[in-house]
C-alpha cells in the first residue's frame, strides 16, 4: 500500500453521536478485562461524560479521543493521570472490533499521542500498564520503544484468578 491509498484516519474529540458506540464498548465485559471497569455504565452517564468532557488537561487530568478510520470510529485513546509537575501521563488504547485489530490503527494512534505529548505538551514520559496475558499489546508497545519498568504480580483480579500487570514507559 502506498501513502496515497492508505486509509484516512484521525484522532478526534468525542461527539454526542458517539454515545451509542461508547455505551456498547464501555459495557462489554471483555473490555473490562483490560480497562479496570467493574460495573456497567448508564447511557445517561456516558452522554453526560461526553457533554462535560474538558480538553484542558491541566483542569481535568484526562482526555479521551476517538480513533476514526475513513469516517468510522474504530476505538479510543485514553490519556489519564496527567501530571503537569512531573511531565507525564498514562496512555490506554482500544481498538474494539477484532476485524479492525492488527491493521495499524493502534500503532498510528499511539504514535500520534506520543508526538502530541512530546511536541505540543513538552512532556518527559508516557506510561502504560498492560496485563501480562495481552501479548499483542505488549509487542506493540515494545515495538514503539516503550520499556518494561515493573512487573506487578497478581495485580488484577478476574473472578477467582489473578493476572500480572507490566508497567511500561517511554522517555521522550
Amino acid at each position: 500500500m502506498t501513502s496515497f491509498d492508505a486509509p484516512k484516519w484521525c484522532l478526534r474529540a468525542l461527539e454526542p453521536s458517539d454515545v451509542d458506540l461508547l455505551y456498547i464498548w464501555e459495557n462489554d465485559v471483555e473490555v473490562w478485562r483490560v480497562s479496570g471497569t467493574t460495573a456497567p455504565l448508564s447511557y445517561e452517564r456516558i452522554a453526560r461524560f461526553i457533554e462535560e468532557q474538558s480538553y484542558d488537561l491541566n483542569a481535568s487530568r484526562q482526555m479521551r479521543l476517538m480513533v476514526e478510520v475513513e469516517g468510522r470510529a474504530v476505538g479510543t485513546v485514553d490519556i489519564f493521570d496527567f501530571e503537569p509537575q512531573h511531565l507525564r501521563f498514562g496512555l490506554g488504547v482500544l481498538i474494539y472490533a477484532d476485524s479492525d485489530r492488527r491493521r495499524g490503527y493502534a500503532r498510528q494512534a499511539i504514535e500520534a499521542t506520543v508526538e502530541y505529548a512530546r511536541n505540543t505538551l513538552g512532556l518527559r514520559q508516557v506510561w502504560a500498564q498492560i496485563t501480562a496475558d495481552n501479548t499483542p499489546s505488549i509487542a506493540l508497545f515494545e515495538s514503539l520503544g516503550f520499556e518494561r519498568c515493573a512487573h506487578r504480580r497478581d495485580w488484577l483480579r478476574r473472578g477467582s484468578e489473578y493476572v500480572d500487570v507490566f508497567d511500561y514507559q517511554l522517555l521522550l
Side-chain angles (χ1 to χ4, degrees), residues 85-99:
Q85 178 182 357
H86 303 294
L87 301 175
R88 66 177 177 242
F89 62 61
L91 171 66
V93 63
L94 167 71
I95 303 300
Y96 184 74
D98 286 338
S99 60

Side-chain angles (χ1 to χ4, degrees), residues 62-102:
Q62 66 177 347
M63 181 186 306
R64 176 169 292 179
L65 301 167
M66 294 299 283
V67 179
E68 189 172 280
V69 178
E70 295 179 348
R72 182 176 61 90
V74 299
T76 61
V77 166
D78 286 316
I79 294 171
F80 57 92
D81 291 346
F82 173 59
E83 290 287 343
Q85 178 182 357
H86 303 294
L87 301 175
R88 66 177 177 242
F89 62 61
L91 171 66
V93 63
L94 167 71
I95 303 300
Y96 184 74
D98 286 338
S99 60
D100 288 323
R101 293 182 184 153
R102 294 180 177 79

